[in-house]
């Protein structure tokens, strides 16, 4: 058989023509919804050019539970368990935001002890949430043991919450007018001794992860979200503070009793890497844990006996009106827009503005040009919880 | 800390970075290694060793049907509507019993079913119960093969028998 090469000399194509003949296209890669690095059920459609991400499109809705609509059929107390399930790693902060909105509409006075207990549980929740962020972030980047250290301390905090409220994650503890159960002196002593131990442990975490050269190489100068981007997209929380902007609602617009407390707002200063990168976002969280310890110590000193429940009618009926309440949750500003009918037992409309949704929408902005491994680091560093994104 | 990220890599910098990487990794390994001896085990070997739950722990619901006055407040407070209550008028001439807290039982409870598969363990029903007959028990091992088996009829004799092994009063 005669091969085609035998028919004379084939014309040698020029390099330009050859490259025109070769077809190249972007490879579509689906990260998630079952990918361990996407922290839940987030699906990110990545268009890759070899190992470089060209586009990243987050697809939401895998955890959509129709919560906002469902709340319109619930009485004002029954909404609280649903708020627990928004950000299931920081349930206390979520229910606090909603409860504050209802209290403001009702005009309820919350007793001082109840407010202090709230601050204690909120700050413990912040520590627990940041520990989770720290552990899973190290896990994303391939370090397994920090995850176990973080869970060991988080477990103790969850134990406090279980003793206090009866549940480990979905508490239904902060009620309209106060809190459900009182904090005993025994528990306060246990919490204090835990804080002493925990403060030592945080130093270990810094040595183990934050200052590890391999960790720094993986995160510094990666996934830079500039301050302008943060403003454009409306980023809040550690993402905004990691970009170097001093904005913390506990300080800028104090709610509850936060104006009485002495603490600093930690911002990324870029001593390693540059401001707004993954490392700075990470270190803001780690340093916020230290600030939370400060607040907790002050709260324990301020604690004095008293009532834990204000005067609230048996059936809550709100006057006609609307309110927007926002608080500083571990992941950023959570906003609750509550519209009520005159004398209605149920909310007319309840809109939740979640920080994680905002931060997820920033991913397509930072992704182009990154390596896939760096993209995983970026997704981990914004610390999203899909329960809050999809609602 | 002496570790820094250097933008401009040179020959010297390359080895310096390498040194920092090894040094900090060894440091981390040392922390991990220090846990090999002298640190007691924190995990519990579950089926053999069981954790003692705090008194307020909210596990499976239990209704003490003898004390229930069929007020349906729990069903109204439930955010997921998982409590089904039916009652009828007491038959003529029946003696009116009293609950342990002293309130008279005027209605005959004919059905008290909780769909545990729907329950969200928020505890709102237990707080509104006037006779405190509906409580969260400390049972947490109640997996079933079918979803129908998660519906507990608290008037059925086998479910009533739980009362004897309830931890929380």
């Amino acid at each position: 058989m005669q091969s085609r090469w035998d028919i004379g000399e084939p014309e040698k194509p020029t390099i330009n023509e050859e490259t025109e003949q070769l077809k190249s296209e972007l490879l579509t890669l689906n990260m998630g919804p079952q990918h361990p690095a996407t922290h839940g059920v987030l699906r990110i459609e990545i268009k890759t050019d070899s190992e470089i991400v060209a586009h990243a499109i987050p697809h939401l809705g895998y955890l959509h539970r129709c919560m906002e609509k469902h709340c319109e059929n619930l009485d004002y107390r029954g909404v609280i368990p649903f708020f627990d399930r928004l950000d299931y790693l920081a349930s206390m902060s979520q229910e606090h935001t909603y409860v504050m909105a209802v209290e403001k509409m009702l005009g309820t006075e919350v007793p001082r002890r109840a407010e202090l207990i709230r601050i204690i549980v909120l700050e413990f929740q912040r520590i627990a949430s940041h520990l989770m962020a720290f552990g899973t972030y190290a896990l994303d980047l391939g370090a397994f043991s920090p995850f176990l250290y973080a869970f060991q301390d988080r477990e103790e905090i969850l134990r406090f919450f279980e003793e206090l409220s009866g549940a480990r994650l979905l508490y239904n503890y902060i009620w309209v007018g106060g809190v459900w159960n009182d904090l005993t002196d025994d528990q306060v002593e246990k919490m204090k001794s835990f804080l002493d131990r925990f403060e030592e442990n945080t130093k270990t975490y810094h040595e183990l992860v934050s200052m590890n050269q391999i960790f720094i190489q993986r995160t510094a100068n990666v996934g830079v979200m500039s301050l302008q981007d943060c403003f454009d997209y409306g980023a809040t929380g550690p993402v905004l503070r990691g970009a170097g902007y001093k904005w913390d609602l506990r300080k800028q617009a104090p709610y509850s009793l936060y104006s009485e407390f002495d603490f600093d707002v930690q911002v990324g200063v870029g001593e390693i890497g540059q401001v707004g990168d993954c490392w700075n976002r990470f270190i803001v969280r780690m340093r916020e844990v230290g600030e939370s310890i400060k607040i907790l110590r002050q709260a324990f000193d301020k604690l004095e006996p008293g009532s834990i429940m204000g005067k609230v009618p048996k059936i809550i009926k709100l006057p006609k009106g609307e309110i927007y309440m926002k608080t500083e949750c571990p992941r950023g500003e959570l906003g609750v827009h509550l519209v009520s009918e005159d004398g209605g037992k149920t909310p007319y409309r309840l809109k939740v503005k979640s920080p994680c949704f905002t931060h997820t929408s920033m991913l397509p902005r930072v992704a182009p040009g990154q390596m896939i491994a760096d993209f995983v680091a970026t997704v981990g560093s914004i610390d999203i919880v899909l329960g809050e994104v999809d609602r | 800390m002496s570790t820094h990220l250097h933008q401009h890599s040179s020959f010297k910098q390359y080895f310096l970075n390498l040194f920092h990487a090894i040094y900090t990794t060894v440091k981390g390994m040392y922390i991990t290694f220090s846990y090999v001896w002298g640190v007691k085990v924190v995990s519990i070997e579950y089926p053999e060793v069981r954790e003692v739950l705090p008194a307020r722990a909210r596990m499976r619901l239990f209704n003490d049907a003898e004390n229930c006055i069929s007020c349906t407040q729990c069903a109204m407070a439930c955010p997921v509507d998982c409590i089904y209550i039916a009652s009828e008028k007491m038959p003529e001439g029946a003696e009116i019993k009293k609950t342990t807290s002293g309130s008279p039982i005027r209605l005959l409870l004919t059905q008290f079913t909780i769909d545990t598969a729907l329950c969200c363990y928020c505890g709102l029903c237990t707080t509104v119960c006037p006779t405190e007959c509906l409580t969260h028990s400390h049972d947490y091992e109640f997996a079933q093969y079918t979803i129908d088996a998660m519906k507990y009829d608290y008037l059925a004799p086998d479910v009533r028998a739980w009362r004897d092994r309830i931890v929380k009063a």
Side-chain angles (χ1 to χ4, degrees), chain B residues 54-125:
Chain B
R56 283 169 189 156
R58 303 202 299 262
M59 303 293 156
R60 178 160 64 178
L61 280 166
F62 178 74
N63 184 38
D64 188 4
E66 272 83 35
N67 275 332
C68 183
I69 57 168
S70 328
C71 64
T72 71
Q73 282 199 49
C74 47
M76 281 191 284
C78 182
V80 289
D81 298 333
C82 70
I83 305 175
Y84 312 111
I85 307 175
S87 58
E88 56 189 42
K89 269 190 180 170
M90 273 285 182
E92 285 289 321
E95 61 153 339
I96 290 179
K97 285 181 195 161
K98 284 194 172 174
T99 62
T100 43
S101 62
S103 46
I105 303 171
R106 296 188 194 283
L107 291 167
L108 184 67
L109 189 66
T110 53
Q111 190 201 14
F112 194 102
T113 307
I114 292 180
D115 193 344
T116 318
L118 271 181
C119 177
C120 71
Y121 302 90
C122 63
L124 283 174
C125 53

Side-chain angles (χ1 to χ4, degrees), chain A residues 200-215:
Chain A
E200 286 302 307
N201 288 356
T202 47
K203 287 172 193 160
T204 317
Y205 299 154
H206 277 296
E207 273 184 27
L208 201 61
V209 179
S210 319
M211 290 303 165
N212 186 298
Q213 188 70 12
I214 296 171
F215 180 78

Side-chain angles (χ1 to χ4, degrees), chain B residues 17-78:
Chain B
N17 273 350
L18 214 62
F19 168 72
H20 280 313
I22 292 166
Y23 174 69
T24 49
T25 308
V26 166
K27 212 167 172 182
M29 287 304 220
Y30 174 74
I31 293 168
T32 316
F33 201 68
S34 67
Y35 274 73
V36 174
W37 293 287
V39 179
K40 72 171 193 226
V41 181
V42 286
S43 52
I44 295 172
E45 291 169 3
Y46 160 59
E48 286 84 26
V49 186
R50 265 149 221 267
E51 210 176 359
V52 182
L53 294 174
R56 283 169 189 156
R58 303 202 299 262
M59 303 293 156
R60 178 160 64 178
L61 280 166
F62 178 74
N63 184 38
D64 188 4
E66 272 83 35
N67 275 332
C68 183
I69 57 168
S70 328
C71 64
T72 71
Q73 282 199 49
C74 47
M76 281 191 284
C78 182

Side-chain angles (χ1 to χ4, degrees), chain A residues 20-37:
Chain A
E20 271 169 29
Q21 278 164 13
L22 285 173
K23 222 173 129 189
S24 78
E25 60 179 23
L26 297 177
L27 174 76
T28 307
L29 192 71
N30 277 305
M31 202 166 103
Q34 274 93 26
H35 195 278

